[in-house]
Amino acid sequence: MDKVVEAVEKTKKDWAETYGQTLDRIKSIEQYGKPGSASSEAERKDSLPRLNGVAQDGLAALTSLHFDLDVLAPQLPTDDEVQAAISLLQSWKNQIQSLRLSLRNANLQAKANMRKTAQEERELLLGGGEESTARRRNLQTKAGMTSAAESITDGLRRTRQLMVQEVERSGSMLTTFEESTGVLRKAESEYKGHRSLLMRTRNLLSTMQRQDVLDRVILVIGFLLFSLAVLYVVSKRIGLLKLQRKVTAAIKAGMAGQAEMGPLVDGLNLAQARQNAVPELEVALEQAMHDEL
């Protein structure tokens, strides 16, 4: 069964019980003060103000139940149940008004009964005899007991009101404590989440710093290696060019000297032939140097 339906059923049950109790109290008020009635013995325990207070508490409880049903009615699962709850609300409203009217009439009847009883007792007191004396003593005893009972009832009522106020205050304090506890738990969970995030961020920063240092070292080593390679290539290039020039110059010088001293062979000048052969040797040397580079 749905929780809303269960709450509605419980409200109906509480209404029936409270309505019956309140109606009984109103009937007791209506019979209050009648001589020889069944309520005359109960008057020793319950005074009229006490009965009125209990009846008013019952009416307040009925009004609260009416409000609860008014809140629960729109939440019912079907439209038929909602319409039935609305009709029941109107019926309860009429019953509360009827009980208020009955309570007012019961108080009027109780006052009339008390006036009538007082008139009869006055007539008995004015009469003579032992019956009048006993009646007077009984009334004095009743008056003292009633006054004491009313005083005790008033004190208990004040005590009850103070206890209700303390209970309400304690309930509000407990609610506040629960809300504060929830807020603190939420703050603690958020703090733990931020703390773990900060730890991860710190670890990432440390890793990035180490990676940055490693990248710098790699860049420096790479630059040094590149510089060394460039210097090596440049130095090799410059040395080979110098060597080439020296060799070329030596070959030219040697061949020039032989051309001046060499004889004719078969009518050819050997020096002239060697001079013509020098460029071919230079081209071959240059090609070999380029291949080496």
Side-chain angles (χ1 to χ4, degrees):
M1 184 181 293
D2 190 71
K3 292 183 179 180
V4 177
V5 177
E6 291 180 358
V8 170
E9 294 298 328
K10 184 177 182 301
T11 304
K12 291 179 181 179
K13 183 179 179 181
D14 294 341
W15 169 274
E17 183 179 354
T18 307
Y19 181 83
Q21 293 176 356
T22 306
L23 190 60
D24 291 340
R25 293 299 180 183
I26 292 175
K27 289 180 179 179
S28 299
I29 292 172
E30 187 177 1
Q31 298 295 325
Y32 188 86
K34 280 187 177 181
S37 63
S39 62
S40 59
E41 292 296 329
E43 290 174 9
R44 298 176 183 177
K45 298 180 181 179
D46 296 330
S47 62
L48 185 60
R50 175 177 172 77
L51 292 174
N52 274 287
V54 175
Q56 291 292 341
D57 291 342
L59 288 173
L62 292 175
T63 304
S64 177
L65 292 172
H66 181 275
F67 177 76
D68 293 342
L69 183 60
D70 191 15
V71 172
L72 293 171
Q75 304 178 25
L76 289 170
T78 62
D79 294 336
D80 295 337
E81 292 178 347
V82 172
Q83 293 299 326
I86 292 174
S87 301
L88 186 60
L89 282 171
Q90 186 63 34
S91 175
W92 283 6
K93 184 177 180 181
N94 296 332
Q95 289 179 10
I96 290 174
Q97 293 177 354
S98 177
L99 286 176
R100 292 185 187 280
L101 183 61
S102 299
L103 179 59
R104 184 174 59 184
N105 294 331
N107 277 289
L108 294 175
Q109 183 64 38
K111 290 179 181 179
N113 293 337
M114 286 189 293
R115 283 196 297 269
K116 185 177 179 180
T117 302
Q119 181 66 28
E120 292 177 357
E121 290 177 352
R122 191 179 301 111
E123 290 177 357
L124 287 174
L125 289 175
L126 292 176
E130 294 180 359
E131 184 180 356
S132 176
T133 303
R135 184 67 175 176
R136 190 162 43 249
R137 290 176 182 175
N138 190 16
L139 287 176
Q140 290 176 355
T141 305
K142 271 189 177 182
M145 291 175 63
T146 302
S147 177
E150 289 179 354
S151 299
I152 295 172
T153 302
D154 292 337
L156 291 175
R157 186 172 296 167
R158 288 192 297 270
T159 304
R160 176 178 174 273
Q161 291 176 354
L162 291 174
M163 291 177 67
V164 169
Q165 292 176 359
E166 290 296 327
V167 169
E168 291 177 353
R169 187 180 297 110
S170 300
S172 63
M173 290 177 65
L174 287 175
T175 304
T176 304
F177 286 152
E178 290 177 356
E179 292 177 354
S180 302
T181 303
V183 172
L184 290 174
R185 287 177 180 174
K186 184 178 180 181
E188 183 180 3
S189 62
E190 290 181 355
Y191 171 74
K192 288 181 179 178
H194 290 306
R195 184 179 180 183
S196 61
L197 181 61
L198 289 174
M199 292 295 292
R200 288 196 297 269
T201 305
R202 184 180 298 173
N203 294 332
L204 289 174
L205 288 175
S206 300
T207 304
M208 291 175 67
Q209 288 177 354
R210 290 194 297 270
Q211 190 66 33
D212 181 64
V213 173
L214 182 62
D215 292 342
R216 290 175 184 272
V217 171
I218 292 173
L219 287 174
V220 170
I221 294 174
F223 181 75
L224 290 174
L225 292 175
F226 177 75
S227 300
L228 291 174
V230 170
L231 290 174
Y232 176 76
V233 171
V234 171
S235 64
K236 283 290 184 180
R237 180 66 176 172
I238 293 173
L240 288 175
L241 288 175
K242 289 181 178 179
L243 179 61
Q244 179 184 359
R245 290 173 184 173
K246 288 180 179 180
V247 170
T248 303
I251 291 172
K252 285 182 179 182
M255 288 185 175
Q258 289 178 3
E260 293 176 357
M261 295 175 63
L264 291 174
V265 178
D266 295 334
L268 294 176
N269 191 348
L270 293 176
Q272 184 67 31
R274 288 173 180 170
Q275 269 184 338
N276 294 334
V278 168
E280 294 179 1
L281 180 60
E282 291 179 356
V283 171
L285 287 173
E286 288 181 359
Q287 184 66 32
M289 290 179 184
H290 281 294
D291 291 341
E292 183 179 356
L293 292 175

